[in-house]
Amino acid sequence: MSYSRRQFISFLGKASLGAAIVPPFLLGCGNSSKPITNGNLSEEHLERLKKLILEAVPASDKDDLVLANGLDYHTIIKWGDSISDNDTFGFNNDFTCFIPLDENNPKDGLLWVNHEYVNPIYVSDFNQYDFEEPRKHHTKAHVDKEMYNVGGSIVRIKEENGVWKVVKNDPHNRRITAKTEIKFNWDLPVKGSSTAIGTLANCSGGITPWNTFLTCEENYDDCYGENVYDENNVATRVPSKYNWWEDHYDYPPEHYGWVVEVNPKDGTAQKHIALGRFAHECCTIYRLKDERVVAYTGDDSNNEHLYKFVSSKPNSLKEGTLYVADTVNGKWLAIDWENQPVLQARFKDQTEVLIRARAAAKILGATELNRPEDIEIDPITGNIFVSLTNNKTKGDFHGSILKIEEFNGDFDALTFKASTYKAGGEENGFSCPDNLAFDQSGNLWFTSDMSGYAMNRADKPYFPFKNNSLFVIPRYGNDAGKVVRVASAPRDAELTGPWFSPDGKTLFLSVQHPGEQTKDKNNPTSLWPFDGDNIPKPAVVAITGDLIQKMNLLNKLEA
Ligand code: FEO
Ligand code: CA
Ligand code: CA
Ligand code: CA
């Protein structure tokens, strides 16, 4: 049994102010922030939040991380920095997740960072533009460097005097790469094996209620291609972008496209087959009262789907049912071979169904969505928010944020209501929403992901928005419900992986792919983070300052 919306409303009704109250059931859920733990929000706190004036930063095409008044940043770690005597930090950092080593000390813990993909120009020194027949020059050494620079990093970080620093050579520091052997959490082999070589295309992710990291494999086909089936169920392998399998490592695409769980303490990992295989953006988990879990996850591809897994046993990401959303009729459709004759007619068993989850979803009549990206659960209402970044094939250039209200507020419900919460476009001042994060007061922060090649071009619809940005939608006061830009990214970059520290004083944020449009390494389009090496480097920053503290209700009333 789960916590119902009716129970939730009556809980709200009993509150002194009926304001920001976080029911205990949301504590420790997959939200990127820990919600308010003390129940009521005092009248004075509420008044402070209502009076908060946010000064937006204007859209900017400057090659810098530009922040709103009241915010500062410092770089914690950047591509190539050594984390130990043996390992260096990978490329194109995306999802971040911080877990304190001791829950009573929010200033010392383990930071997980995804490394989504590489730019060979910088990473392996292989520039396809240099050659007439580039494949002839693509060596195993190039691919080995590229494989090392994806996956994820675990680094111990500590805050002292307001500055976060990496604890170099801490025994927890390690890399997980495209070469790390990882087991499948499944009883049957997947494409002939019980393990995969490596994880890659790690875009966004999540946290489990038992405090492990989730990292999601998104565009795996860039590395290993994909087997695509015709109407006679005959597969053809489509080529990859980086030619890893074509040139050097012929690993099966079926070993990628999963949600991967990583133990922070020892780096052991497993791929969760029950959650289906597709271009997973993220995985957001909610734990029910009886400790069964509900995992929301989206397939970030044009005309693909939104899924949720509901476990049948406590804390299991293996035993249970995977559903896919029919957002038109508000139904969760079971992707269940045993009970769906239409799936039996096409696939030989549930393992094949999960490997080809996209095809199964389409057979069941799931709704095509406009690239579902990050997902968060509102800590105050329990509604589920899903970024739909865009879908140029359907004329949706600016995307939107979708709101899902589960029936009766039950996360394991089989029906729901879907509506648009906020549409992208000039009227609302943003385009292409991607990562989402709620802070401790329930303000919604989000980043944008306009493609590098299309930004700042007068002939493209993204021109007015200039560089990718970080936005916040305040929950209270004059700006409540408005979209306020609070940071603008360096040139060609995207801001990703927003994650609040447990004390709410720091927003960890990735600056991904600055200078991505560079064709000549000696002439880069960005030099951020200006470390003297004259090339751009993806990096994780800590955003701090008065504004974060005020929005997170941390300016104590005593002084
Ligand atoms: Fe890697 Fe869906 O962004
Ligand atoms: Ca993303
Ligand atoms: Ca998030
Ligand atoms: Ca994206």
Side-chain angles (χ1 to χ4, degrees):
M1 200 187 92
S2 59
Y3 206 99
S4 76
R5 181 171 305 276
R6 203 169 295 129
Q7 286 168 294
F8 179 66
I9 289 166
S10 69
F11 179 72
L12 275 178
K14 279 182 208 140
S16 55
L17 292 165
I21 294 164
V22 175
F25 73 89
L26 273 172
L27 298 179
C29 76
N31 259 352
S32 53
S33 67
K34 293 273 184 209
I36 302 161
T37 54
N38 61 356
N40 296 349
L41 183 64
S42 77
E43 200 159 350
E44 196 172 351
H45 266 140
L46 190 61
E47 284 310 308
R48 281 180 167 223
L49 276 172
K50 283 185 179 168
K51 283 183 193 149
L52 194 60
I53 293 170
L54 283 171
E55 285 176 55
V57 292
S60 165
D61 56 8
K62 198 174 169 195
D63 182 31
D64 206 351
L65 179 58
V66 180
L67 299 177
N69 277 337
L71 297 179
D72 298 301
Y73 83 89
H74 57 273
T75 301
I76 304 173
I77 190 165
K78 59 189 181 333
W79 168 58
D81 285 354
S82 62
I83 60 172
S84 69
D85 289 342
N86 302 319
D87 282 309
T88 56
F89 195 65
F91 202 73
N92 269 350
N93 32 246
D94 197 303
F95 176 66
T96 73
C97 176
F98 177 83
I99 297 179
L101 281 167
D102 167 358
E103 64 179 34
N104 297 312
N105 180 6
K107 298 181 173 192
D108 180 1
L110 301 178
L111 184 73
W112 167 268
V113 183
N114 277 1
H115 300 296
E116 188 176 13
Y117 62 100
V118 291
N119 186 339
I121 286 184
Y122 299 117
V123 168
S124 58
D125 228 359
F126 174 71
N127 187 355
Q128 57 170 329
Y129 306 106
D130 285 348
F131 310 105
E132 249 174 58
E133 292 182 84
R135 295 271 304 279
K136 281 192 178 164
H137 301 267
H138 192 218
T139 66
K140 205 167 195 174
H142 288 132
V143 179
D144 287 341
K145 276 191 192 157
E146 294 164 10
M147 291 174 84
Y148 180 76
N149 276 283
V150 297
S153 292
I154 299 173
V155 280
R156 184 170 179 185
I157 57 170
K158 277 189 194 178
E159 189 241 83
E160 278 170 27
N161 302 321
V163 178
W164 289 92
K165 286 191 178 145
V166 172
V167 183
K168 202 182 151 191
N169 275 326
D170 187 89
H172 294 96
N173 293 4
R174 70 183 75 240
R175 288 294 322 283
I176 300 210
T177 75
K179 298 256 186 171
T180 310
E181 190 168 5
I182 299 175
K183 69 179 181 196
F184 296 119
N185 181 23
W186 200 241
D187 294 335
L188 296 167
V190 175
K191 200 74 181 175
S193 181
S194 58
T195 61
I197 301 300
T199 183
L200 42 89
N202 308 77
C203 188
S204 192
I207 186 170
T208 63
W210 47 92
N211 272 346
T212 55
F213 306 121
L214 296 171
T215 176
C216 293
E217 298 177 337
E218 192 193 37
N219 299 316
Y220 58 89
D221 54 322
D222 285 350
C223 304
Y224 293 117
E226 175 65 314
N227 283 314
V228 176
Y229 292 78
D230 67 14
E231 62 274 16
N232 299 315
N233 238 357
V234 175
T236 308
R237 189 153 170 192
V238 297
S240 73
K241 176 175 166 187
Y242 295 115
N243 293 306
W244 287 6
W245 74 271
E246 290 93 332
D247 292 350
H248 298 290
Y249 291 97
D250 189 5
Y251 298 145
E254 290 80 1
H255 286 188
Y256 311 95
W258 303 105
V259 174
V260 185
E261 180 178 355
V262 180
N263 183 333
K265 296 283 167 72
D266 61 10
T268 53
Q270 52 183 326
K271 299 200 180 195
H272 291 303
I273 307 310
L275 274 58
R277 175 176 166 273
F278 41 86
H280 283 277
E281 169 76 17
C282 74
C283 183
T284 302
I285 296 194
Y286 171 80
R287 180 154 59 178
L288 302 169
K289 264 193 161 176
D290 60 8
E291 301 210 325
R292 287 178 302 121
V293 292
V294 179
Y296 294 93
T297 179
D299 185 351
D300 179 9
S301 217
N302 285 333
N303 310 314
E304 291 301 335
H305 310 290
L306 175 69
Y307 298 77
K308 82 169 176 183
F309 171 82
V310 181
S311 77
S312 54
K313 292 191 176 157
N315 302 317
S316 176
L317 291 174
K318 180 178 170 192
E319 314 280 346
T321 305
L322 181 67
Y323 298 88
V324 66
D326 167 354
T327 59
V328 177
N329 299 298
K331 286 184 181 158
W332 290 108
L333 312 168
I335 305 182
D336 176 6
W337 187 88
E338 288 284 339
N339 295 303
Q340 298 274 22
V342 286
L343 298 182
Q344 291 166 7
R346 181 79 176 177
F347 306 102
K348 72 175 192 296
D349 57 18
Q350 182 68 7
T351 305
E352 191 187 7
V353 165
L354 292 167
I355 289 171
R356 294 171 58 194
R358 283 180 170 171
K362 290 193 190 306
I363 288 170
L364 293 169
T367 308
E368 293 184 346
L369 296 173
N370 295 352
R371 296 186 50 200
E373 295 234 44
D374 205 6
I375 301 167
E376 289 293 348
I377 299 170
D378 184 329
I380 309 234
T381 63
N383 293 329
I384 298 118
F385 288 84
V386 184
S387 280
L388 302 177
T389 202
N390 63 50
N391 186 345
K392 290 158 199 162
T393 70
K394 291 198 170 160
D396 176 8
F397 291 94
H398 300 301
S400 60
I401 300 173
L402 178 76
K403 181 165 83 175
I404 301 276
E405 295 168 81
E406 296 280 24
F407 180 72
N408 213 23
D410 292 329
F411 291 88
D412 57 349
L414 296 182
T415 57
F416 62 92
K417 193 177 138 207
S419 58
T420 297
Y421 167 65
K422 197 71 75 182
E426 280 194 73
E427 192 181 334
N428 285 323
F430 73 96
S431 181
C432 306
D434 191 337
N435 295 130
L436 308 168
F438 281 98
D439 65 21
Q440 297 189 354
S441 311
N443 303 301
L444 177 59
W445 301 64
F446 70 96
T447 61
S448 66
D449 178 13
M450 299 175 287
S451 298
Y453 77 92
M455 275 189 285
N456 295 303
R457 278 178 51 171
D459 61 338
K460 298 284 180 194
Y462 304 104
F463 192 59
F465 306 96
K466 299 194 175 175
N467 289 1
N468 276 314
S469 295
L470 169 72
F471 302 89
V472 64
I473 302 180
R475 194 157 205 131
Y476 308 99
N478 286 340
D479 290 331
K482 287 185 194 158
V483 179
V484 181
R485 184 192 312 265
V486 287
S488 172
R491 207 168 290 148
D492 304 344
E494 177 191 353
L495 303 174
T496 57
W499 187 273
F500 285 95
S501 61
D503 61 7
K505 292 183 179 174
T506 301
L507 175 63
F508 299 112
L509 188 70
S510 278
V511 179
Q512 204 196 49
H513 57 75
E516 188 171 55
Q517 296 302 304
T518 299
K519 298 285 185 294
D520 169 7
K521 199 170 146 182
N522 298 316
N523 230 333
T525 56
S526 168
L527 285 177
W528 192 91
F530 313 112
D531 67 349
D533 280 355
N534 288 321
I535 56 166
K537 291 179 185 172
V540 177
V541 301
I543 296 190
T544 57
D546 196 43
L547 183 59
I548 296 248
Q549 302 213 15
K550 282 180 177 163
M551 295 199 77
N552 273 290
L553 289 170
L554 294 165
N555 280 35
K556 299 285 181 225
L557 297 172
E558 62 268 19

